[in-house]
Amino acid sequence: MSKKKTLVVIGNGMVGQNFLATLMASDIKEGYEVVTFCEETIPAYDRVHLSEYFAGKSADDLSLVEQDFFEENNITIHMGDKASSIDRAAKTVTSDKGIVISYDTLILATGSSAFVPPIPGHDRDGCIPYRTIEDLDDMMAAAKTSKVGAVVGGGLLGLEAAKALQDLNLKTHVVQFAPRLMAAQLDDGGANLLKSKIEDLGVSVLTSKNTTKIVDGDTCKHKMVFADGGELETDMILYSAGIRPRDEIAAACGLKIADRGGIVVSDQCLTSDENIYAIGECASWNDQIFGLVAPGYAMARTVVAQLAGEESCFTGADMSTKLKLNGVDVASIGDPHASSEGALVYTYQNGVDGIYKRLVVSSDNKTLLGAVLVGDASGYPTLSQYYLNAIELPSNPDSLILPARSDESVGLGPDALPANAQICSCYDVSKGDICTSIEGGCTTLGGLKGDTKAATGCGGCAALLKSVLDCELEKAGVEVNTDICEHFAHTRQDLFNVVKVEEIKTFSELIHKHGKGKGCEICKQTVGSILASQWNEYILKDSHVGVQDTNDTFLANMQKDGTYSVVPRMTGGEVTPDGLIAIGQIGKKYGLYTKVTGGQRVDLFGARVDQLPLIWKELIDAGFESGHAYGKSLRTVKSCVGSTWCRFGVDDSVGLAIELENRYKGLRAPHKIKFAVSGCTRECAEAQSKDIGIIAVEGGWNLYVCGNGGMKPRHGDLFATNLDKETLIKYIDRVLTFYVQTADRMQRTSVWMENMEGGLDYLKSVVIDDKLNICEQLEEQMRNVVDAYQCEWKTTIEDESKLKRFRTFVNSDKHDENIVFVEERGQVRPANIEERELLLAEEA
Amino acid sequence: MAQWIDICSKGDLQPNSGVCALVEGQQIAIFYMPEDNAVFAINNYDPFGKVNVLSRGLIGDIKGEVMVSSPLYKQHFSLKTGQCLEDETVTVAAYGVRINGERVEINLNGAA
Ligand code: SRM
Ligand SMILES: Cc1cc2nc3c(=O)[nH]c(=O)nc-3n(C[C@H](O)[C@H](O)[C@H](O)COP(=O)(O)OP(=O)(O)OC[C@H]3O[C@@H](n4cnc5c(N)ncnc54)[C@H](O)[C@@H]3O)c2cc1C
Ligand code: SF4
Ligand code: FES
């Protein structure tokens, strides 16, 4: 066995980590002893989504390193230790802490740093670059004592930083050296429109400003002085005016450095030393550095391939970009400035809706060279596919940017893409890779994500991925039968619409008009739920009894022995001592097993069907109401104790939880719905694992949607930040009603979201921007449901005719003798079969 | 020889759903479909869950065969024969049942 070679990676940032993961997934990993130096105090994290840190994401959420990755792969990582020098002759790396490692192969993945203009006063207190988690911690600390903030730099990152300052509730200014925003990506028309959109968000934009010094301010901590004589008072300054490659360690050991900075690399990503590679933002290829993550990943793949002895080249990268700001759609593709020879330009401008689109095409009108989209970036996936794969344009290319008229479709069908078309640039997944996975039996979006990693990076390709999947399945003749069952050739959503439009109130009316046969448990429950969502009538009305699931008809969950559980509502998990005593007494009187549930309330088990009304009567008299534990409906709104008692609490989480639970209780949905409210980002209520999760932050409430615990946990997506209560409730009304109207049967919000074309951005556009113009209707629908609320148990025990149904036998007062309990830990439990037979035999 | 036993009134039945009767120590699930003026009776014991719950299942049809779906694990049983539609080795007893004027009657010795 040959001795292992030593491979050292300097820098554990996004690209360094991606390199390690790619190497570990390859066959050659056995040949290397791997050591890496990580200057930061935590291993690689997702810098691309760094700004979400303000919105409540933790360093853990952003981590790119799978648990135990280093241990399992035997990689030595020197945390918080910076490589300080390289001795190329001795082939060693020395670190700040004095560690010396000999290498056979060295990889430089040192990234870049935010450019800080070298002007007098640039390093005053509260003047911070925008690059690392540590920077963000500094920012948050500085923001506590600030009212005004300024961002130096009006590029992609600068605008993101401005959004972050706004999220911290500062009056925000953007100071741009160039005459327009996003100078590298946009033309004047696009940039002007973008400026007005940014200003609409409440951010002031100053262009053509050259800062000459920063001095003590009069009204704020600092004053920026500009070359044109102007001034700006601010308490904080963020630098986001471009990046500088971290090439110092390479320069010091004599590696070739490009004139404009960056370690010079070949197509193989080799530096001027044949044992040293450089990848990511520190590398300069063809006199270009790439400030995006996808090219860095491509470089990492190139190097792993080389090490495996394969031929592989880095051939440059697509610099198309899309801005990640709420409410401002901006995208730029290829060469937006029409600098190529003979390039032709199409422009579409719509001043009313604030939309600007520009296409740059080749002189023969056949190939797309570039594009700019502002105000409506929905065409981005299609256009970037035209661009990346040099697909021939339609004869009238302007149809690609003109608003769609009548029924003509301008989208590029996934069928038109060649097999090598790259669908996901983050993970370099081609259409061919996706088709292979589908042929291998993968037929769901979730499956494809797991299999190919597509759409698990920036998420930008998710809609395209779904359309490739649908198209391939259709071609393969996999008929995606969406009928809910043999009785209705409809989807749940179809049925919902029919019920609504035709104002159908009963199952029998619906099946006579639109279905066939007598129905089954699938369609009956589905329709029962739709009728309840839409009309919210008493669920045990005669016409509904037969269509409810067993649990719904008896307003209790059936247990394995045919008895039921009883769960009174305890809004927000709050209960008085008297309430607890009452529950205790009732439990004792009826001999029930009592347990605190995972949903912050008490469950009483072992009630016979005939006991249910008696037990509920006592509970209602003690001030309780139905907890809807049996319904596909709102279950619990968990809360932590919040600002009332907790020393870290930012707001009253219990109060909000109770208010929300009271608002949405009884709402029937395609599946159960759970909420939680935490009083601060420590998140003791685990809100991010709920369908609706809310976390109190200094600026208000942060809203997360579509989380899930259960079988396939999913963290909720951050939907909106710093909301006041009124807006929060408005958004929740809209999200939930939209879910109720469009989800499949038995589809939790998490799966609904995973399957939604356009994903989170689409949901935001519907709920926040009212893209479909339905928000008013959604809110009204929720109002109706809220107004029609009744405690079903109260209605039931007050109605003699309903109580009849809770008899064990229609013709006898006896009980089911098959229900037998034994004692365990001081309470009852159902006897198992052997115990039961034994006990019954003894009695006989 | 058919032996019809008086059980309950028609009003005791639950339209489009089931109730349970105790007849000579046997638990019998009785289902009522008023649109067809049809009643069915099978044993209440769910052979999969091993408890007495079939009367509390949802009813309907699968490919035209009237059935009840067990409330525990959702197997389907024919209301006419008691045959489990998922597992041909499993059957629950089916009984004769009829509406006689305002009264419901059962015949334990088999289908009517
Ligand atoms: C009683 C309880 C367990 C306990 O003793 O703590 C419980 C009991 C049941 N859960 Fe649960 N779940 C209970 C909390 C949870 C939680 C924790 C939570 O709510 O914070 C979860 C994970 C969170 C989530 O749902 O995202 C949970 C995830 C599930 C799932 C998986 C759902 C999923 O999307 O993957 C099921 C199965 C299903 O719904 O299809 C389930 C189904 C059930 C059923 C309905 C199974 C059944 O059909 O019999 C159990 C009914 C018991 C009953 O009679 O009430 N239960 N279940 C908890 C009742 C909470 C309450 O007060 O209402
Ligand atoms: C706020 C923000 C938003 C962004 N948004 C996007 C986006 O939307 N899309 C996109 O494609 N890109 C985006 N980027 C850019 C993206 O984050 C970078 O392209 C990517 O992180 C580059 O990876 P890297 O590994 O080359 O550099 P880095 O991630 O910076 O990693 C380099 C690491 O090396 C360490 N290091 C440096 N020198 C040494 C040494 N001598 N010894 C030990 N360790 C060392 C550094 O501390 C750092 O941890 C964004 C960046 C920021 C800051
Ligand atoms: S985890 Fe399983 S066994 Fe436990 S309560 Fe939930 S469903 Fe029942
Ligand atoms: S392109 Fe970023 S996840 Fe696919």
Side-chain angles (χ1 to χ4, degrees):
Chain A
M1 204 185 95
S2 65
K3 193 179 160 303
K4 285 191 177 186
K5 290 185 179 165
T6 305
L7 183 141
V8 175
V9 183
I10 302 184
N12 185 241
M14 296 191 74
V15 174
Q17 178 61 27
N18 180 268
F19 171 83
L20 292 176
T22 313
L23 181 68
M24 290 307 138
S26 75
D27 303 334
I28 54 166
K29 67 169 180 190
E30 301 302 340
Y32 291 97
E33 194 72 52
V34 182
V35 180
T36 183
F37 287 95
C38 175
E39 176 188 34
E40 295 187 63
T41 49
I42 51 171
Y45 53 88
D46 184 356
R47 228 179 278 291
V48 172
H49 293 104
L50 195 61
S51 305
E52 293 176 17
Y53 194 61
F54 292 109
K57 283 231 163 135
S58 66
D60 264 359
D61 294 332
L62 292 174
S63 177
L64 292 175
V65 181
E66 279 169 31
Q67 212 186 348
D68 302 330
F69 172 83
F70 296 109
E71 292 82 346
E72 276 171 15
N73 291 297
N74 281 321
I75 298 174
T76 310
I77 177 162
H78 295 288
M79 289 297 306
D81 196 5
K82 179 177 163 193
S84 49
S85 64
I86 301 168
D87 183 337
R88 288 166 52 200
K91 294 186 38 179
T92 58
V93 177
T94 305
S95 78
D96 268 358
K97 290 188 182 163
I99 295 168
V100 182
I101 308 271
S102 300
Y103 64 80
D104 295 290
T105 303
L106 178 62
I107 314 282
L108 300 175
T110 51
S112 54
S113 52
F115 170 62
V116 178
I119 45 172
H122 68 82
D123 55 357
R124 293 165 59 96
D125 246 14
C127 300
I128 304 162
Y130 194 66
R131 177 83 192 174
T132 64
I133 286 202
E134 229 167 290
D135 295 338
L136 300 206
D137 286 334
D138 291 347
M139 264 177 79
M140 293 216 226
K144 288 221 162 77
T145 57
S146 301
K147 292 205 162 60
V148 184
V151 176
V152 177
L156 214 54
L157 281 189
L159 295 177
E160 218 179 296
K163 172 75 173 31
L165 281 182
Q166 268 217 313
D167 285 349
L168 291 168
N169 280 335
L170 303 193
K171 168 77 193 112
T172 305
H173 304 273
V174 170
V175 179
Q176 166 74 320
F177 179 73
R180 59 171 191 259
L181 292 176
M182 290 180 68
Q185 293 94 353
L186 296 186
D187 63 348
D188 282 334
N192 283 338
L193 181 58
L194 175 62
K195 177 163 181 258
S196 68
K197 291 199 172 256
I198 296 287
E199 286 168 343
D200 285 348
L201 295 179
V203 174
S204 96
V205 179
L206 308 169
T207 49
S208 301
K209 292 289 178 202
N210 180 11
T211 313
T212 54
K213 59 180 176 186
I214 304 168
V215 296
D216 280 342
D218 300 323
T219 55
C220 293
K221 287 178 203 145
H222 317 284
K223 177 157 67 186
M224 302 171 73
V225 180
F226 306 125
D228 64 6
E231 295 174 349
L232 177 69
E233 294 266 345
T234 178
D235 296 314
M236 266 179 83
I237 297 175
L238 288 188
Y239 298 109
S240 200
I243 52 173
R244 289 293 171 267
R246 304 260 318 250
D247 52 17
E248 60 283 357
I249 191 174
C253 70
L255 290 178
K256 199 166 160 206
I257 303 296
D259 293 342
R260 285 151 62 193
I263 308 161
V264 173
V265 297
S266 65
D267 289 357
Q268 281 69 43
C269 297
L270 260 185
T271 66
S272 52
D273 181 324
E274 60 173 6
N275 297 311
I276 307 181
Y277 295 88
I279 54 178
E281 286 190 348
C282 64
S284 169
W285 175 86
N286 250 352
D287 257 338
Q288 251 184 301
I289 50 171
F290 298 91
L292 294 175
V293 66
Y297 288 178
M299 292 180 185
R301 284 191 296 273
T302 305
V303 175
V304 173
Q306 310 268 327
L307 296 179
E310 293 160 24
E311 279 207 12
S312 170
C313 278
F314 176 75
T315 53
D318 170 38
M319 296 297 280
S320 303
T321 34
K322 218 170 138 185
L323 192 64
K324 304 170 298 217
L325 294 187
N326 271 347
V328 181
D329 277 356
V330 181
S332 136
I333 294 170
D335 162 29
H337 301 300
S339 49
S340 329
E341 213 181 305
L344 304 171
V345 172
Y346 294 91
T347 319
Y348 167 77
Q349 204 154 0
N350 174 340
V352 180
D353 299 329
I355 296 173
Y356 173 88
K357 298 180 182 181
R358 174 181 162 104
L359 281 191
V360 180
V361 306
S362 60
S363 53
D364 60 0
N365 218 2
K366 290 213 163 114
T367 336
L368 185 67
L369 300 177
V372 176
L373 306 171
V374 179
D376 171 13
S378 56
Y380 179 76
T382 303
L383 291 175
S384 50
Q385 289 300 329
Y386 272 107
Y387 171 70
L388 288 173
N389 300 300
I391 296 169
E392 189 171 324
L393 288 166
S395 54
N396 48 341
D398 56 353
S399 63
L400 295 172
I401 52 171
L402 291 175
R405 302 272 184 241
S406 67
D407 55 0
E408 68 184 309
S409 156
V410 296
L412 181 60
D415 222 15
L417 297 175
N420 62 359
Q422 191 186 46
I423 302 296
C424 173
S425 51
C426 286
Y427 286 98
D428 186 30
V429 186
S430 67
K431 182 180 158 192
D433 298 334
I434 292 166
C435 295
T436 311
S437 173
I438 296 172
E439 279 156 25
C442 190
T443 54
T444 63
L445 208 53
L448 277 181
K449 284 184 178 177
D451 216 26
T452 65
K453 284 202 145 185
T456 59
C458 69
C461 59
L464 187 60
L465 181 67
K466 169 128 193 337
S467 61
V468 171
L469 173 66
D470 290 349
C471 169
E472 290 304 308
L473 286 181
E474 197 174 314
K475 277 200 318 208
V478 178
E479 196 182 323
V480 192
N481 184 347
T482 52
D483 299 356
I484 64 162
C485 68
E486 64 179 73
H487 304 101
F488 286 97
H490 301 71
T491 63
R492 178 184 180 278
Q493 198 177 344
D494 293 340
L495 288 178
F496 197 102
N497 292 333
V498 170
V499 164
K500 195 168 148 175
V501 173
E502 300 182 18
E503 298 200 12
I504 289 178
K505 299 275 173 74
T506 64
F507 177 81
S508 80
E509 185 183 347
L510 186 69
I511 198 164
H512 285 145
K513 278 198 184 155
H514 296 279
K516 56 171 197 257
K518 303 187 189 308
C520 62
E521 76 278 8
I522 307 236
C523 58
K524 283 188 166 180
Q525 276 180 63
T526 305
V527 172
S529 158
I530 292 173
L531 293 171
S533 298
Q534 181 63 28
W535 312 117
N536 208 14
E537 292 182 335
Y538 173 48
I539 200 129
L540 296 188
K541 231 176 121 165
D542 275 339
S543 51
H544 300 324
V545 167
V547 303
Q548 303 301 340
D549 178 37
T550 316
N551 289 347
D552 277 296
T553 33
F554 291 96
L555 305 172
N557 284 335
M558 181 180 280
Q559 303 299 314
K560 61 195 288 186
D561 62 346
T563 64
Y564 289 86
S565 68
V566 170
V567 193
R569 189 166 294 290
M570 253 175 218
T571 45
E574 193 180 79
V575 58
T576 61
D578 281 338
L580 272 182
I581 290 169
I583 288 185
Q585 283 170 338
I586 294 166
K588 199 165 174 178
K589 175 166 169 191
Y590 291 91
L592 304 172
Y593 167 80
T594 50
K595 177 177 181 303
V596 173
T597 71
Q600 293 191 339
R601 46 191 187 174
V602 179
D603 202 343
L604 303 153
F605 293 85
R608 293 188 318 257
V609 65
D610 55 286
Q611 290 176 321
L612 285 173
L614 305 174
I615 294 170
W616 273 106
K617 167 120 191 16
E618 296 198 27
L619 284 170
I620 287 168
D621 288 345
F624 289 99
E625 58 181 351
S626 169
H628 289 94
Y630 44 82
K632 299 288 173 251
S633 56
L634 179 77
R635 291 286 166 88
T636 53
V637 181
K638 294 217 275 196
S639 75
C640 72
V641 63
S643 61
T644 319
W645 291 92
C646 174
R647 67 197 158 123
F648 295 117
V650 176
D651 211 332
D652 178 14
S653 43
V654 182
L656 182 68
I658 292 174
E659 183 173 343
L660 293 176
E661 187 161 342
N662 280 324
R663 179 171 182 80
Y664 300 109
K665 65 190 175 189
L667 169 69
R668 290 261 184 332
H671 207 314
K672 57 192 172 193
I673 305 173
K674 299 176 178 184
F675 285 33
V677 186
S678 279
C680 84
T681 53
R682 284 169 192 74
E683 251 284 68
C684 299
E686 303 169 309
Q688 290 167 90
S689 67
K690 296 289 177 255
D691 300 271
I692 299 286
I694 297 143
I695 301 177
V697 290
E698 290 294 345
W701 303 101
N702 283 357
L703 171 61
Y704 291 81
V705 299
C706 305
N708 204 166
M711 293 175 257
K712 193 161 171 293
R714 176 181 197 274
H715 274 170
D717 293 308
L718 181 63
F719 188 76
T721 57
N722 296 315
L723 302 174
D724 55 38
K725 200 171 75 184
E726 199 186 326
T727 316
L728 175 76
I729 290 179
K730 192 165 77 182
Y731 286 175
I732 299 175
D733 278 2
R734 294 176 182 178
V735 170
L736 289 183
T737 318
F738 193 53
Y739 163 64
V740 164
Q741 296 190 354
T742 60
D744 247 336
R745 62 175 286 272
M746 296 299 282
Q747 195 176 46
R748 288 287 289 267
T749 57
S750 56
V751 185
W752 175 62
M753 170 64 92
E754 296 284 326
N755 285 290
M756 191 182 308
E757 211 151 324
L760 180 64
D761 284 340
Y762 175 72
L763 186 62
K764 281 186 187 170
S765 72
V766 172
V767 168
I768 301 175
D769 308 332
D770 200 4
K771 174 176 161 165
L772 303 179
N773 206 2
I774 55 170
C775 284
E776 205 172 309
Q777 174 245 318
L778 295 177
E779 281 173 46
E780 170 165 353
Q781 172 66 23
M782 184 61 81
R783 257 194 312 276
N784 293 341
V785 171
V786 170
D787 291 346
Y789 170 79
Q790 53 186 301
C791 169
E792 294 152 356
W793 265 113
K794 186 155 188 289
T795 313
T796 304
I797 56 177
E798 284 166 358
D799 182 345
E800 272 302 320
S801 70
K802 292 296 166 213
L803 291 177
K804 256 179 34 187
R805 190 148 162 65
F806 291 87
R807 290 178 294 182
T808 301
F809 302 117
V810 274
N811 60 343
S812 160
D813 289 333
K814 289 205 176 126
H815 305 310
D816 179 358
E817 58 183 22
N818 232 358
I819 296 177
V820 182
F821 297 127
V822 293
E823 220 181 90
E824 190 171 85
R825 294 187 296 274
Q827 299 203 67
V828 297
R829 70 156 168 81
N832 62 36
I833 303 260
E834 296 84 61
E835 291 166 339
R836 185 166 81 193
E837 273 160 13
L838 213 67
L839 286 166
L840 289 177
E842 273 171 21
E843 260 171 47
Chain B
M1 178 60 212
Q3 285 233 314
W4 291 99
I5 307 170
D6 180 81
I7 302 293
C8 60
S9 77
K10 195 170 145 188
D12 284 323
L13 297 178
Q14 182 65 46
N16 297 309
S17 188
V19 295
C20 188
L22 190 62
V23 187
E24 296 180 5
Q26 306 238 40
Q27 293 197 20
I28 293 174
I30 307 173
F31 302 94
Y32 178 35
M33 293 184 175
E35 278 176 26
D36 305 340
N37 199 25
V39 273
F40 305 93
I42 62 174
N43 200 288
N44 194 33
Y45 188 74
D46 175 348
F48 294 96
K50 302 199 176 357
V51 285
N52 294 307
V53 293
L54 290 184
S55 61
R56 288 174 262 165
L58 271 173
I59 59 173
D61 78 290
I62 295 287
K63 302 204 174 71
E65 179 81 20
V66 281
M67 59 79 195
V68 59
S69 150
S70 163
L72 280 175
Y73 304 112
K74 314 297 174 197
Q75 292 87 357
H76 301 111
F77 297 89
S78 162
L79 292 183
K80 290 188 178 136
T81 63
Q83 173 67 54
C84 171
L85 302 182
E86 280 77 30
D87 184 344
E88 60 180 35
T89 66
V90 179
T91 313
V92 299
Y95 308 97
V97 57
R98 69 181 183 198
I99 296 179
N100 191 358
E102 278 309 300
R103 300 300 298 173
V104 179
E105 297 171 346
I106 289 264
N107 173 6
L108 288 181
N109 298 326

